[in-house]
Amino acid sequence: MDRPVISIILIASLLATGSGFASASAAFWERACAAGVDAVINGIAFEIAAGVAEAAAEAVKGGTAVKLKVILPEEALVVSSGTSLTVFATFNGRLLNASVALVGEIELQPSRVRSSFFTITAFPNGTAKVTAQETAEDLSNPKVWG
Amino acid sequence: MDQAFEAAIAFAIFVAAFSASQYTAITVYESSLKGLYEPKLESAACIVASEILLQNGKSSEKWSSWEPICQPGNYFSPHSGVELEIKATCYSIDPSGAVTKLWIKHGPPLAPLGRHAQKYVSGAVLDDGTFVRLEVYAKDG
């Protein structure tokens, strides 16, 4: 084969290999970014579940209702019922969700709350509920119905 | 110099630089990912400790017969990739203020958790006046 043709084939194959490297790297980083976002949403779900468990343990120990505040970096929808709670949040237009179930004696009252400030109230009978925390703005401008 | 040889050298430089940058980026990413998992592990340890406290309450009889179980599936789900270590110590405080260690119960993991494990500590005063200190360690397995 002619020498210039060999050079062209060699350079073309090197360029193809290089672009292959770059695209494989891009795919890896896309997956890595998704894993990072999943870790964040999982962390939020575990944080709220830990709040519920901690408040319930304190309520049973102290024999009185216990309130605990959880502040999240982003707004999220928390759906809780029975022994499990699910957190929904959007990130870059993607709807993500993560669930945590507590395999114990804690019973969550059914609730569906969208906020970034939550109040977890636990009672001495082992039940707990998740509600939205009133912000300072809500308290200074109370809504009057009817 | 031959054009193909020049291209091969340029490609070798590209591969070396690309590999070095990827290696650095992956190392940074791994350490930042550990930071993302830490709150989850701390929460997992908190859930385990709280559920043990709920199960046993203030009853000294329940605490005496209790044995630590280190399978995370007994406390929460999903539990994949989480390893636990549980340690409970019971202390008695007599009227003179002297503290006596009554018992220690330790639920060891399959492998030592090491220094990256997240720790949660809680405690309870029992009905007979003794005190139980509960330590739970959680690590990404």
Side-chain angles (χ1 to χ4, degrees), chain A residues 136-143:
Chain A
E137 194 184 346
D138 291 337
L139 294 171
S140 59
N141 302 305
K143 289 184 181 98

Side-chain angles (χ1 to χ4, degrees), chain B residues 45-110:
Chain B
C46 174
I47 290 170
V48 173
S50 301
E51 289 195 2
I52 292 170
L53 287 169
L54 264 170
Q55 279 168 22
N56 296 336
K58 293 178 178 179
S59 166
S60 53
E61 279 179 23
K62 279 187 181 177
W63 278 103
S64 298
S65 58
W66 169 78
E67 287 301 326
I69 302 167
C70 288
Q71 276 79 43
N74 284 298
Y75 306 100
F76 58 84
S77 72
H79 54 81
S80 58
V82 180
E83 287 178 31
L84 296 174
E85 183 177 349
I86 301 165
K87 187 181 171 189
T89 316
C90 184
Y91 299 96
S92 157
I93 306 166
D94 65 23
S96 65
V99 178
T100 316
K101 203 181 277 181
L102 296 179
W103 50 256
I104 297 177
K105 293 186 181 187
H106 189 204
L110 294 172

